[in-house]
């Protein structure tokens, strides 16, 4: 619910669990008052009175003598007009300076939520959320609109901003955050998800100290290194207790999340497109839209925050028909064959897949051009008929004849210098004249700011997907952007290339996914290198990491789950010893770990022993029985994978079923383990797969007794079902 109180000019946005309050000051500033637990009152000015100041703090034109933009809690801080902390908005005006100030003009409140032109964002029906739009103006004629959507049944507020040149000369947007929040609390820890290739999204918590802390990417993609997510935690916040504020940017390119603890005890956090290398020209009348930023409030710790993000991303970001459908169990041939396969090999994997109950074969990299290794042919998207005799239609019908569905791999945004495409269109790669081009994995990045390049991608994907019964696409992206410039844009628009690339990508994804609405699209970027909420608008599932080692995967998957639901995490059982770490592990455990997400295989089924095949068959059967719990259930991270054991649990919304997993990562002699389950109904009686009966209260308050002789790498997954 969103309310405006005209007497005090106060806005109050209430979600299911949080309140967000700000007001218009006498001089038209937007002054932030409160963001936190749901409150019934709105007269809370006393919370934000900040008379801590010294002689270097400037005053302002506000009638409130205590008001200074430098110390006040500001709703959307601008650059150059008295607020010296990190700013959300900086626009160079026709006079050539970047002084940016904005004052309230008008506002509108309505039910529901409107989309952002050209950028994916969360969606909500009229009875699910309410939106407030506030128009502000700078003396230069710059018009700034702040958008706020408060979800009614989730503790989620969505924010975004648009700026319009309502003046006469050219303006340049140099920095535009999608959201800024000022907290009058001085004590916060900040939680981020850092990583690298093969070890994505590891949670890291630090105390915010005076000054600025930044998590960002300048790689042209959200990337492996920092996810576009951060949380501010009260110092006492734990997995299940205490206050957590989560922030997530719905964007796939360069981003920056900055937090500053100022000298008077205020903590500011802002997130948006990274201002590094960014400058967007606004001619008179032109408008620029920021991507969306989301904030979640939880007073049930980090776990409560995660579960709110999960509900949001399960129901409000992806419109694919696959979003709520049972996903196929896949076998992907990448780790089975790498580039060394032909049609007969794929068909023989498909034969085993059919026998084991696996639904789909995905043909990975290497099926096109002269792609027998990773040094050539990206861009040449025609079938290599030496490998696939009879072409795609023949292969797909042979696989389908076995009762197995077929999926295919693309890396559409790339071009190899050794490709027919590059020989024909060297100007289609991002580069700047007179400067060398950095090569990475023998490939360059296509210039998606150019409409003809976008059309080319849509064209070859349309042709390939129409040529055979292809029901799944893995969309890969294996390098970051360098020498970011476009020959198609004038010099004063080169600062737009990073963002225009992302807009080009979104337009291509929109066109391809809507032309093939029944195809299941899975995202990938050297594993989980572009795993962000905007990608989830097109990809109901994402390849979580190239590291398929089960021990590593526990950390990666539980880290990913801090923000993203299991339904988005593609998790495969691979061979032992593992190709990335060399670790030997039990097939049982590889299966139990992969069942924490969208389950599949990534190994050569033909090489498995009969015993192993029996195990795979049982795993597939089991996953099909429990997948609804993982896909739609609530996650509880019970024991973090930082010690000898790890445990987690999914519970269905009606609390009638739960899936519990325990892994003994490092075996200890004579250990004692009682693991308390969470989220069950204490009044129900649950049966496990072995016919044992437990009361919900015993499972939650006494715990499951797991004291036994665990061997290294052992694990167990238990399915609890409430007795009727
Ligand atoms: C990187 C992906 O993450 C892998 O799964 C695989 O598809 C390779 N690319 C293929 O080149």
């Amino acid at each position: 619910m969103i309310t405006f109180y005209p007497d005090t000019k106060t806005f109050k946005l209430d979600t299911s669990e949080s309140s967000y309050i700000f007001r218009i000051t006498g001089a038209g500033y937007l002054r932030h008052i409160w963001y936190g637990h749901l409150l019934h009152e709105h007269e809370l000015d006393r919370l934000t009175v900040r008379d801590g100041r010294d002689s270097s703090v400037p005053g302002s034109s506000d009638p409130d003598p205590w008001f200074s933009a430098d110390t006040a809690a500001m709703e959307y801080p601008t650059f150059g007009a008295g607020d010296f902390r990190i700013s959300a908005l900086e626009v160079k005006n026709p006079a050539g300076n970047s002084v940016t100030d904005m004052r309230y003009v008008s506002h509108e409140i309505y039910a529901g939520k409107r989309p952002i032109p050209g950028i994916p964002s969360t969606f909500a029906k009229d009875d699910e959320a309410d939106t407030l739009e506030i128009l502000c103006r700078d003396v230069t004629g710059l018009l700034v609109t702040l958008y706020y959507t408060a979800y009614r049944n989730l503790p989620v507020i969505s924010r975004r901003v648009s700026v319009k040149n309502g003046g006469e000369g050219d303006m340049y947007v140099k920095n535009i955050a999608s959201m800024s929040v000022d907290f009058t609390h001085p004590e916060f820890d900040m939680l981020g998800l850092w990583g690298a290739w093969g070890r994505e999204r590891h949670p890291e918590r630090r105390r915010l100290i005076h000054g600025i802390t930044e998590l960002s990417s300048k790689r042209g993609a959200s990337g492996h290194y920092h996810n576009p997510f951060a949380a501010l935690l009260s110092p006492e916040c734990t997995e299940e207790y205490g206050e957590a504020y989560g922030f997530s940017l719905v964007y796939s390119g360069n981003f920056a999340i900055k937090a500053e603890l100022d000298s008077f005890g205020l903590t500011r956090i802002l997130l948006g497109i990274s201002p590094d290398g960014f400058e967007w020209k606004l001619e008179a009348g032109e408008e620029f839209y920021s991507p969306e930023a989301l904030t979640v409030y939880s007073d049930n710790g980090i776990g409560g925050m995660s579960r709110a993000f999960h509900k949001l991303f399960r129901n409000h970001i992806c419109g694919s028909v696959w979003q709520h459908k049972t996903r196929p169990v896949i076998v992907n041939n990448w780790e089975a064959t790498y580039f060394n396969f032909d049609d007969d090999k794929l068909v023989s994997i498909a034969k085993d897949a059919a026998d084991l109950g696996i639904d789909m074969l995905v043909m990975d990299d290497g099926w096109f051009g002269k792609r027998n290794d990773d040094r050539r042919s990206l861009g040449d998207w025609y079938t290599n008929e030496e490998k696939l005799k009879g072409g795609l239609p023949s292969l797909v019908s042979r696989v389908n004849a076995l009762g197995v569905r077929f999926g295919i791999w693309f890396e559409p945004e790339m071009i190899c210098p050794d490709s027919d495409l590059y020989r024909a269109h060297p100007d289609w790669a991002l580069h700047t004249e007179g400067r060398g081009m950095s090569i990475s994995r023998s490939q360059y990045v296509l210039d998606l700011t150019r409409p003809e390049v976008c059309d080319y991608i849509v064209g070859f994907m349309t042709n390939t997907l129409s040529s055979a019964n292809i029901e799944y696409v893995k969309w890969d992206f294996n390098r970051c952007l360098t020498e970011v410039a476009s020959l198609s844009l004038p010099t004063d628009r080169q600062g737009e290339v990073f963002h225009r690339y992302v807009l080009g990508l979104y337009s291509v994804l929109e066109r391809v996914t809507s032309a093939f609405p029944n195809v299941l699209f899975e995202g990938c970027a050297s594993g989980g290198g572009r795993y962000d909420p905007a990608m989830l608008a097109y990809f109901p599932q994402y390849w979580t990491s190239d590291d398929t080692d089960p021990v590593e995967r526990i950390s990666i998957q539980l880290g990913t789950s801090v923000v993203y639901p299991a339904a988005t995490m593609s998790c495969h059982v691979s061979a032992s010893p593992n190709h990335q770490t060399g670790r030997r592990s039990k097939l049982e455990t590889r299966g139990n770990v992969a069942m924490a997400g969208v389950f599949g295989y990534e190994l050569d089924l033909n090489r498995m022993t009969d015993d192993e095949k029996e195990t795979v068959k049982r795993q597939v059967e089991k996953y099909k029985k429990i997948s609804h719990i993982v896909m739609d259930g609530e996650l509880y991270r019970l024991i973090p994978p930082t010690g000898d054991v790890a445990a987690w649990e999914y519970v269905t919304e009606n609390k009638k079923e739960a899936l519990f997993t325990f892994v003994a990562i490092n075996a200890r002699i004579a250990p004692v383990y009682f693991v308390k389950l969470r989220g069950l109904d204490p009044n129900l009686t649950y049966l496990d797969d072995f016919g044992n009966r437990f009361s919900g209260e015993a499972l939650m308050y006494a715990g499951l007794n797991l004291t036994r002789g665990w061997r290294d790498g052992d694990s167990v997954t238990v399915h609890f079902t409430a007795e009727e």
Side-chain angles (χ1 to χ4, degrees):
M1 190 168 73
I2 299 181
T3 317
F4 179 63
Y5 298 91
D7 47 339
T8 53
K9 295 190 176 162
T10 301
F11 296 99
K12 183 165 187 281
L13 289 71
D14 288 339
T15 72
S16 57
E17 288 161 46
S18 61
S19 291
Y20 188 106
I21 305 173
F22 61 101
R23 72 175 183 80
I24 310 163
T25 72
Y29 288 108
L30 297 179
R31 188 167 176 177
H32 182 77
I33 293 177
W34 169 258
Y35 178 35
H37 200 282
L38 188 65
L39 295 175
H40 296 292
E41 49 180 326
H42 69 278
E43 294 297 338
L44 291 162
D45 270 25
R46 64 181 182 281
L47 286 179
T48 51
V49 168
R50 299 170 55 73
D51 50 10
R53 55 168 54 191
D54 58 31
S55 56
S56 64
V57 171
S60 75
S61 56
D62 202 90
D64 175 352
W66 283 110
F67 180 82
S68 163
D70 192 21
T71 53
M74 300 296 285
E75 188 51 31
Y76 191 69
T78 55
F79 177 83
D83 186 340
F84 299 101
R85 297 161 293 185
I86 45 175
S87 51
L89 185 67
E90 178 179 350
V91 180
K92 189 161 102 182
N93 54 50
N97 66 71
S98 295
V99 177
T100 311
D101 199 356
M102 51 172 239
R103 307 297 167 90
Y104 171 87
V105 176
S106 62
H107 73 269
E108 186 194 352
I109 296 172
Y110 53 87
K113 186 173 189 286
R114 296 175 187 158
I116 313 175
I119 305 181
S121 58
T122 60
F123 46 77
K125 298 197 201 94
D126 285 3
D127 59 353
E128 292 175 324
D130 304 281
T131 297
L132 161 67
E133 290 186 17
I134 301 185
L135 178 66
C136 299
R137 190 174 182 280
D138 184 26
V139 288
T140 56
L142 178 76
L143 298 169
V144 183
T145 307
L146 307 180
Y147 302 77
Y148 298 77
T149 297
Y151 278 81
R152 294 186 191 173
N153 294 320
L154 290 170
V156 175
I157 293 175
S158 143
R159 305 250 319 249
R160 67 182 180 95
V161 180
S162 68
V163 286
K164 184 171 179 179
N165 184 346
E168 282 173 1
D170 295 342
M171 296 184 181
Y172 293 85
V173 184
K174 301 180 71 159
N175 180 23
I176 178 166
S178 300
M179 168 194 292
S180 174
V181 186
D182 280 359
F183 292 90
T184 46
H185 319 234
E187 292 204 333
F188 277 115
D189 288 353
M190 187 174 182
L191 180 75
L193 296 173
W194 74 281
W197 174 81
R199 57 186 158 103
E200 294 90 338
R201 290 172 296 284
H202 284 56
E204 189 169 43
R205 180 171 179 163
R206 76 205 75 185
R207 174 56 57 93
L208 281 185
I209 55 170
H210 291 97
I212 300 166
T213 306
E214 176 172 336
L215 304 176
S216 60
S217 168
K218 298 176 202 153
R219 300 176 164 264
S222 45
H224 291 91
Y225 297 81
H226 294 284
N227 200 255
F229 157 82
L232 293 183
L233 311 174
S234 57
E236 71 283 359
C237 175
T238 61
E239 178 65 23
E240 293 297 336
Y241 302 98
E243 290 192 301
Y245 297 85
F247 301 91
S248 166
L249 188 68
V250 188
Y251 189 58
S252 311
N254 291 349
F255 72 88
I257 302 177
K258 297 183 190 175
E260 178 171 2
L261 174 57
D262 80 3
S263 294
F264 301 101
L266 178 143
T267 301
R268 170 171 295 170
I269 183 161
L270 46 86
L271 53 158
I273 294 176
S274 169
D276 289 330
F278 173 82
E279 185 179 76
W280 191 279
K281 182 175 178 187
L282 277 185
E283 289 177 15
E286 283 184 344
E287 194 163 5
F288 179 87
Y289 305 97
S290 84
E292 176 184 34
L294 300 160
T295 173
V296 160
Y297 170 78
S298 155
D299 68 351
N300 293 308
I302 302 167
M305 175 198 74
S306 299
R307 290 186 284 278
F309 272 125
H310 295 174
K311 277 199 189 129
L312 180 72
F313 292 142
R314 275 204 304 263
N315 300 314
H316 297 276
I317 190 84
C318 183
S320 163
V321 296
W322 280 101
Q323 185 60 21
H324 297 287
K325 264 211 312 218
T326 307
R327 312 279 172 80
V329 174
I330 278 165
V331 59
N332 176 304
N333 76 308
W334 178 242
E335 289 195 21
T337 64
Y338 296 100
F339 293 100
N340 187 18
F341 62 87
D342 61 10
D343 51 335
D344 288 339
K345 176 65 190 173
L346 295 176
V347 170
S348 86
I349 295 178
K351 268 190 192 127
D352 275 338
D355 292 345
L356 302 176
I358 294 173
D359 304 304
M360 180 182 277
L361 170 79
V362 174
M363 176 175 67
D364 210 281
D365 195 354
W367 58 270
F368 52 92
K370 300 191 176 64
R371 186 95 170 153
N372 295 321
D373 54 40
D374 64 6
R375 294 204 291 275
R376 66 205 86 245
S377 292
L378 290 173
D380 298 345
W381 297 103
Y382 43 82
T383 311
N384 177 341
E385 298 218 8
E386 279 169 29
K387 270 182 169 172
L388 306 182
K389 292 166 277 300
L392 269 182
S394 150
L395 172 64
V396 177
S397 29
R398 287 174 71 194
V399 170
N400 284 172
L402 299 164
V404 176
R405 302 161 94 172
F406 187 84
I408 196 168
W409 177 97
F410 285 102
E411 193 177 357
E413 299 156 68
M414 298 294 161
I415 180 167
C416 285
D418 183 0
S419 67
D420 295 340
L421 184 67
Y422 190 74
R423 284 181 280 275
H425 298 286
D427 53 326
W428 279 15
L430 280 176
H431 71 287
T432 165
E433 275 182 342
R435 190 181 290 286
M437 296 163 76
S438 305
I439 191 107
S440 178
R441 210 193 186 209
S442 305
Q443 64 200 58
Y444 300 136
V445 184
L446 282 169
D447 181 355
L448 268 63
T449 71
R450 299 171 73 135
E452 66 275 32
V453 173
C454 294
D455 290 346
Y456 175 75
I457 297 176
V458 175
F460 71 69
M461 293 204 67
T462 306
N463 290 342
T464 312
L465 297 183
S466 317
S467 72
N469 184 27
I470 297 172
E471 299 183 79
Y472 161 110
V473 166
K474 178 175 172 186
W475 182 301
D476 207 345
F477 169 87
N478 285 309
R479 64 157 290 179
C480 47
L481 278 55
T482 54
E483 291 86 34
V484 176
S486 174
L487 297 186
S488 68
L489 290 169
T491 46
D492 60 354
R493 289 202 178 267
Q494 291 297 322
E496 301 175 12
V497 179
F498 271 117
H499 183 56
R500 282 187 186 272
Y501 179 91
V502 178
L503 296 180
L505 172 62
Y506 292 152
S507 76
V508 168
L509 280 164
E510 187 59 49
R511 288 164 70 188
V512 175
T513 54
S514 52
F516 296 93
N518 295 318
V519 170
L520 170 59
F521 285 81
E522 174 164 323
C524 176
S526 299
R530 198 166 54 183
Y531 202 133
D532 60 60
M535 284 290 117
L536 299 183
Y538 306 103
F539 304 136
Q541 57 191 59
Y542 212 96
W543 182 227
T544 313
S545 175
D546 272 351
D547 189 343
T548 52
D549 174 287
V551 171
E552 290 286 280
R553 268 301 184 116
I554 296 174
S555 306
I556 295 168
Q557 292 170 193
L558 287 179
T560 302
S561 79
V562 168
V563 190
Y564 304 103
T568 65
M569 267 193 262
S570 185
C571 303
H572 293 174
V573 173
S574 62
S576 173
N578 180 266
H579 292 195
Q580 293 79 34
T581 62
R583 186 185 275 116
R584 289 179 190 277
S585 60
K586 293 169 181 138
L587 182 54
E588 205 75 53
T589 295
R590 280 176 269 151
N592 288 340
V593 172
M595 283 193 207
V598 183
F599 187 69
Y601 290 83
E602 180 102 10
L603 42 68
D604 190 348
L605 297 172
N606 301 153
R607 290 204 197 169
M608 295 191 114
T609 63
D610 288 348
D611 276 359
E612 287 173 329
K613 284 184 176 164
E614 268 315 301
T615 306
V616 169
K617 210 170 180 171
R618 277 201 312 275
Q619 286 175 336
V620 174
E621 263 166 29
K622 176 160 185 176
Y623 185 72
K624 290 187 175 174
K625 239 171 81 189
I626 56 85
S627 74
H628 62 285
I629 312 176
V630 176
M631 299 294 285
D632 300 322
E634 307 238 292
L635 169 70
Y636 294 87
R637 291 177 291 260
L638 303 175
I639 307 178
T642 42
D644 293 329
V645 299
W648 59 90
E649 176 200 8
Y650 293 95
V651 184
T652 54
E653 212 159 345
N654 63 11
K655 299 178 187 294
K656 297 246 166 100
E657 281 182 277
L659 187 79
F660 166 81
T661 305
F662 176 88
V663 184
I665 299 171
N666 288 306
R668 295 276 176 222
I669 303 300
V672 177
Y673 298 123
F674 286 90
V675 184
K676 291 180 182 171
L677 272 60
R678 301 190 62 87
L680 302 176
D681 183 338
N683 302 315
L684 288 180
T685 301
Y686 293 88
L687 286 176
D688 71 11
D689 319 73
F690 315 102
N692 301 311
R693 300 172 84 232
F694 303 86
S695 69
E697 60 177 13
L699 287 172
M700 288 203 294
Y701 306 127
L704 196 61
N705 186 353
L706 288 155
T707 303
R708 66 182 82 145
W710 295 101
R711 311 289 296 186
D712 223 27
D714 276 353
S715 65
V716 65
T717 287
V718 189
H719 179 192
F720 291 99
T721 319
E723 225 172 32
E724 288 305 323

